[in-house]
Structures are given as C-alpha cells and as structure tokens.
C-alpha cells in the first residue's frame, strides 16, 4: 500500500482515470492528491461512507477531484 499522498490517490482512482492522472506533471499530481485529501477531510458525507468502507470513500473523493478537472 502506498504511503505518499500521490500514491494513495492513484490507488483510489478508477482504472480508467489512472492514465489521465499519470500523464500529468508531478506538480499537478501533487496538487490533485492534496485536493483529494482535503475532500476526504472536509466532506461529512464521505465521513459516513468512510466508516462503512474506507476504500469506497477514497474512491468517491478521487472521482470528485478528477471530475473537476477540465
């Protein structure tokens, strides 16, 4: 299991989004991973999901972050 934010974010992404993420420059990957961590920390809905299934909460937050990308 990856321990850095970028690696954890990559692991949480759906397979079809991984290529889009890995094709981005490292600085952009770090920014997205940071947004993902903030999404996990700040969304109460994800807190509830996290109690039931942490991987599902991480995947949902990753989808949201990548969905905001142009």
């Amino acid at each position: 299991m990856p321990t850095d934010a970028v690696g954890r974010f990559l692991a949480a992404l759906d397979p079809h989004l991984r290529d889009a993420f890995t094709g981005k420059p490292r600085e952009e990957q770090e920014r997205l991973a940071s947004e993902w961590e903030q999404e996990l920390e700040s969304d109460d809905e994800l807190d509830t999901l996290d109690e039931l299934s942490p991987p599902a909460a991480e995947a949902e937050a990753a989808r949201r972050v990548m969905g905001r990308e142009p």
Side-chain angles (χ1 to χ4, degrees), residues 17 20 24 28 31-32 35 64-70:
L17 294 173
K24 296 183 181 297
E28 182 74 4
R31 181 186 65 79
L32 290 169
E35 287 181 21
R64 291 178 185 183
V65 168
M66 289 300 288
R68 292 192 286 254
E69 284 298 289

Side-chain angles (χ1 to χ4, degrees), residues 24-66:
K24 296 183 181 297
R26 181 66 184 191
E27 288 179 357
E28 182 74 4
Q29 291 177 355
E30 290 172 355
R31 181 186 65 79
L32 290 169
S34 176
E35 287 181 21
W36 172 71
E37 288 183 321
Q38 290 172 357
E39 184 81 17
L40 284 169
E41 291 174 8
S42 66
D43 191 303
D44 292 337
E45 185 179 300
L46 289 175
D47 284 345
T48 301
L49 181 58
D50 186 53
E51 290 177 16
L52 300 172
S53 173
E58 290 176 353
E60 176 59 24
R63 278 191 293 277
R64 291 178 185 183
V65 168
M66 289 300 288

